[in-house]
Amino acid sequence: MKPAYSRIGNNQFNEYPMKIAENALCCYVNDTYRLFQDMLRNTTNLPMVGPDGLCPVPSGHYWFKQVKNLMNNVPPMVPEGYWRLTFIISGPRDVVEIQVFVILSKGFFGG
């Protein structure tokens, strides 16, 4: 994932110096996502990872709605503002790039 930050939301994003290691999708789902999936309960239709793991990830249309409870888990050094998170998923023949745009406002959510 490549995070980028824009303080005023003028679509001029600067890559943020946060290091997030590349990992295989199944490793990410079964390790990292599993740690945070409870925070997303009732805000997404992503599948929950059980004790035996989840791989391959089932195909489908996934969504996130009303994700407000994550603010307590954002490190204090991460600034408020507009964020672009670019996820790059590569396979043997194709590369998919997914961009997620987030407005991070700690005061608005009471964080």
Side-chain angles (χ1 to χ4, degrees):
M1 178 179 73
K2 291 187 205 174
Y5 171 71
S6 174
R7 185 178 58 82
I8 59 175
N10 59 357
N11 210 26
Q12 294 181 3
F13 289 92
N14 296 310
E15 285 200 22
Y16 197 71
M18 184 185 311
K19 301 293 182 191
I20 299 172
E22 290 185 21
N23 210 342
L25 182 60
C26 286
C27 292
Y28 173 78
V29 167
N30 291 320
D31 293 332
T32 307
Y33 173 68
R34 185 194 312 243
L35 295 174
F36 296 101
Q37 67 183 354
D38 287 332
M39 291 187 300
L40 297 172
R41 192 176 302 277
N42 300 322
T43 64
T44 183
N45 68 339
L46 286 170
M48 298 299 279
V49 179
D52 296 331
L54 178 68
C55 198
V57 176
S59 63
H61 292 91
Y62 297 112
W63 47 259
F64 293 89
K65 295 180 181 176
Q66 304 293 326
V67 183
K68 297 179 182 178
N69 59 339
L70 297 179
M71 294 310 305
N72 295 333
N73 299 296
V74 175
M77 74 286 288
V78 174
E80 296 183 38
Y82 296 82
W83 287 87
R84 181 186 67 211
L85 308 174
T86 303
F87 297 87
I88 300 168
I89 303 170
S90 57
R93 292 178 287 177
D94 298 315
V95 175
V96 175
E97 190 171 289
I98 301 169
Q99 291 186 333
V100 177
F101 293 87
V102 176
I103 300 172
L104 183 63
S105 176
K106 297 175 185 177
F108 182 76
F109 295 120

